[in-house]
Amino acid sequence: MAGILYLCATPIGNLQDMTPRVIETLRMVDVIAAEDTRNSIRLLNHFDIHTPMTSYHEYNKVEKAEQLAGQLLEGKQIALITDAGTPAISDPGEVLVRMCHEHHVPVTSLPGPCACITALTLSGLSTRRFCFEGFLPADKKERRTVLEELGRESRTMILYEAPHHLVGTLEELYGCLGNRRITLCRELTKKFENVMPTTLEQALEYYRMEAPRGEYVLVLEGKSFQELRREEIASWESMSIEEHMAYYEGRGMDHKTAMKQVARDRGVGKREIYAYLNK
Ligand code: SAM
């Protein structure tokens, strides 16, 4: 019978956030796959865990996932821990999980600390609808596309960032999204935890003077529906009625429904659109 892959969440700063179930599982499994074995050894020593470790990281994630899946199929029990927090969130864990699904190896997740959710709950921004972006892509073209998408996003957005990239990222966000509310969450659960609810403009002003230090999660306000509506109206105003009709018909709407929708968008009666198109 195949073993089980246990995704074990570990503290993002405060060791007391380690759950008893994770400690017990890390003691019970045959091997612990860890993103950074040098970091994780301190955690394991602290909790008196003596299970052998093997490294599983960004640069060996594909071959190593194959190997680990092989061991699981032979019946070994394996736990995955990453540098901190919940495995598979902005780390190579997802590759191993996918590989296990492909080989029909059972996977279970032991929940615990996760930087993005901790930051969201502290942000004071809407938690009803949110999206997680992780680190912005390093590739310039891809990054631009993502930033443009974020500019239209109406949900609260969560991003990860390293201190040495913080100012550059805030500048790009300000350039693409305009001035928005943002909460910068730094060193969560640690001694110098700091939660700064501010605006993109003020955050930039602050961090141009003060060198960023520690780990950051950025939580950004989504675009309001009123603003999205204003932009939509402005875009209709720059179109001719024919272009506006073609827009809806190109998306599969029949002629009559498109006329009704165009009239509604423009705040006029449908007879007016009909008369214009049949003049
Ligand atoms: N898997 C992890 C999780 O559950 O959140 C995230 C791993 S990701 C490689 C590391 C990033 O998470 C950091 O660059 C930072 O943006 C964020 N992060 C992790 N710990 C943090 C903390 N204590 N305070 C603020 N941000 C943190």
Side-chain angles (χ1 to χ4, degrees):
M1 211 171 72
I4 298 176
L5 174 70
Y6 296 87
L7 305 177
C8 293
T10 55
I12 55 171
N14 191 324
L15 288 179
Q16 293 190 52
D17 293 334
M18 186 86 159
T19 71
R21 189 168 161 228
V22 166
I23 298 174
E24 194 184 308
T25 302
L26 293 178
R27 287 194 181 128
M28 172 276 289
V29 291
D30 298 297
V31 59
I32 299 172
E35 194 178 6
D36 185 335
T37 50
R38 281 166 309 175
N39 263 347
S40 296
I41 192 71
R42 276 179 281 189
L43 181 81
L44 300 193
N45 285 342
H46 182 88
F47 290 101
D48 206 18
I49 298 166
H50 303 285
T51 309
M53 266 197 292
T54 183
S55 72
Y56 175 71
H57 50 68
E58 188 56 34
Y59 304 102
N60 70 359
K61 64 183 177 190
V62 179
E63 320 84 79
K64 195 61 185 259
E66 294 268 11
Q67 267 181 38
L68 293 170
Q71 292 179 22
L72 284 155
L73 284 169
E74 286 163 11
K76 288 249 162 56
Q77 310 292 350
I78 299 182
L80 175 68
I81 57 175
T82 46
D83 222 3
T86 298
I89 300 296
S90 291
D91 62 46
E94 67 169 61
V95 176
L96 181 56
V97 174
R98 198 174 314 124
M99 190 79 74
C100 285
H101 289 324
E102 280 167 19
H103 288 89
H104 306 288
V105 168
V107 183
T108 189
S109 182
L110 282 61
C114 186
C116 56
I117 296 298
T118 310
L120 175 69
T121 58
L122 288 170
S123 69
L125 298 172
S126 171
T127 58
R128 197 174 75 80
R129 296 169 65 245
F130 61 89
C131 65
F132 174 64
E133 192 53 52
F135 294 98
L136 286 173
D139 176 81
K140 272 194 183 156
K141 213 169 138 211
E142 215 184 308
R143 195 171 172 101
R144 180 113 299 263
T145 309
V146 169
L147 282 163
E148 279 167 14
E149 275 176 22
L150 294 183
R152 293 187 292 272
E153 180 58 67
S154 63
R155 293 169 295 180
T156 299
M157 294 158 266
I158 312 171
L159 279 86
Y160 284 163
E161 195 47 285
H164 54 288
H165 289 138
L166 183 74
V167 173
T169 297
L170 290 175
E171 277 168 355
E172 284 176 293
L173 288 167
Y174 184 55
C176 273
L177 279 63
N179 200 18
R180 294 276 182 97
R181 290 208 288 159
I182 179 172
T183 301
L184 294 101
C185 300
R186 184 180 151 257
E187 299 285 82
L188 292 167
T189 75
K190 300 184 192 174
K191 189 171 171 193
F192 296 109
E193 171 175 292
N194 181 266
V195 176
M196 184 169 141
T198 179
T199 63
L200 267 171
E201 201 172 57
Q202 283 169 357
L204 259 174
E205 207 175 297
Y206 179 83
Y207 278 111
R208 278 184 182 137
M209 308 288 289
E210 201 74 30
R213 252 186 254 136
E215 297 193 273
Y216 286 84
V217 183
L218 312 178
V219 189
L220 275 151
E221 179 181 41
K223 189 168 249 178
S224 71
F225 286 119
Q226 291 93 312
E227 194 167 337
L228 281 169
R229 184 69 191 142
R230 270 199 295 278
E231 282 179 7
E232 202 184 37
I233 291 169
S235 76
W236 304 141
E237 281 167 357
S238 68
M239 275 185 196
S240 68
I241 292 182
E242 289 82 354
E243 284 166 340
H244 200 161
M245 285 291 293
Y247 171 84
Y248 284 124
E249 288 179 336
R251 278 162 182 73
M253 246 187 217
D254 64 62
H255 192 67
K256 212 169 142 196
T257 319
M259 265 197 307
K260 270 195 210 161
Q261 189 57 49
V262 167
R264 195 173 304 141
D265 288 346
R266 292 176 173 252
V268 297
K270 65 176 185 295
R271 275 171 216 275
E272 220 175 292
I273 302 295
Y274 180 85
Y276 173 86
L277 292 171
N278 291 289
K279 70 175 184 258

